[in-house]
Amino acid sequence: MNLSLEEAWKLLREGASDRHSPLHTPSVATVTGDGVPSQRVMVMRAVDQPGRLLRFNCDSRGSKVAEISRKPAVSVLGYHPQAKVQLRLSGTGRIQSSGPEADSAWEQASLYGQRCYLADPAPGSPVAAPTSGLDPAMEGVKPTPEQVAPARTHFAILQIAVDKIEWLYLAHSGHRRALFEWNGTANHWHGRWLVP
């Protein structure tokens, strides 16, 4: 059973470091103010297995930020077709727009990535015509550090402290499914097999 948990973390680490991994862009779900699930595909930027943390970059003006501030329950879903593994994770989300971790994530982002946070109006705002939200002069060109510097005020990170991992392996001979839950008191994962 522990091998399944280790494989889950291995696939997550690969997802964060390899942009070609199917787990590089999992679906992240939050809960709206009306209690409705809200999903979006996000790029997983970092995984800290000992800390049980997943990190994503986001715009501090986006709806997910308000949703997590109101109700921090978050779920993550990814599927790796080559490994035939589906991962369903749940935990607590936390938004950071300042501090060393957010600053470090900003510095690690490419200039093109940083440029996204220059969008005006804010993500999700209604507009009369299709737009990236960027000044047309900024579209299709690599910006300079000076040009993207104002975008830092809109940049934030989403960290998810994972407390449940459901691992599902799909096989012709018979699927296998396990659930791992974090026991904070004992400081370890507790796992059990489930019927797929």
Side-chain angles (χ1 to χ4, degrees):
M1 175 168 288
N2 286 339
L3 290 176
S4 301
L5 179 62
E6 283 306 312
E7 181 188 13
W9 282 110
K10 175 181 169 280
L11 291 172
L12 289 167
R13 287 191 308 272
E14 288 172 359
S17 63
D18 179 3
R19 66 185 184 96
H20 298 293
S21 167
L23 293 178
H24 189 57
T25 52
S27 175
V28 178
T30 54
V31 181
T32 69
D34 298 331
V36 177
S38 178
Q39 295 182 342
R40 77 279 296 151
V41 172
M42 295 183 74
V43 176
M44 187 163 49
R45 300 293 181 177
V47 171
D48 172 8
Q49 181 177 349
R52 305 178 353 267
L53 294 173
L54 308 180
R55 181 178 61 79
F56 302 84
N57 296 345
C58 62
D59 193 306
S60 62
R61 302 167 294 169
S63 60
K64 73 179 95 32
V65 172
E67 291 164 1
I68 291 168
S69 297
R70 198 169 30 252
K71 186 171 180 73
V74 179
S75 69
V76 179
L77 174 66
Y79 179 65
H80 196 297
Q82 291 82 19
K84 298 181 183 177
V85 170
Q86 173 185 274
L87 294 175
R88 291 196 319 164
L89 301 92
S90 61
T92 304
R94 181 173 57 118
I95 301 292
Q96 287 182 270
S97 55
S98 61
E101 292 168 322
D103 291 341
S104 175
W106 173 258
E107 292 301 322
Q108 291 171 26
S110 70
L111 289 171
Y112 284 111
Q114 292 174 345
R115 181 184 67 175
C116 296
Y117 303 95
L118 288 172
D120 185 32
S125 298
V127 290
T131 179
S132 66
L134 296 174
D135 182 316
M138 291 293 290
E139 290 187 349
V141 297
K142 184 176 183 179
T144 65
E146 294 76 28
Q147 288 173 312
V148 297
R152 176 62 184 90
T153 60
H154 303 308
F155 178 81
I157 59 172
L158 162 60
Q159 288 189 319
I160 301 172
V162 178
D163 54 32
K164 286 186 185 177
I165 299 174
E166 186 178 297
W167 172 90
L168 174 65
Y169 174 67
L170 303 175
H172 292 295
S173 57
H175 307 326
R176 297 291 183 264
R177 182 177 172 197
L179 176 66
F180 301 93
E181 296 177 285
W182 179 253
N183 182 328
T185 305
N187 203 34
H188 75 84
W189 290 97
H190 172 73
R192 63 182 186 270
W193 294 111
L194 302 175
V195 176

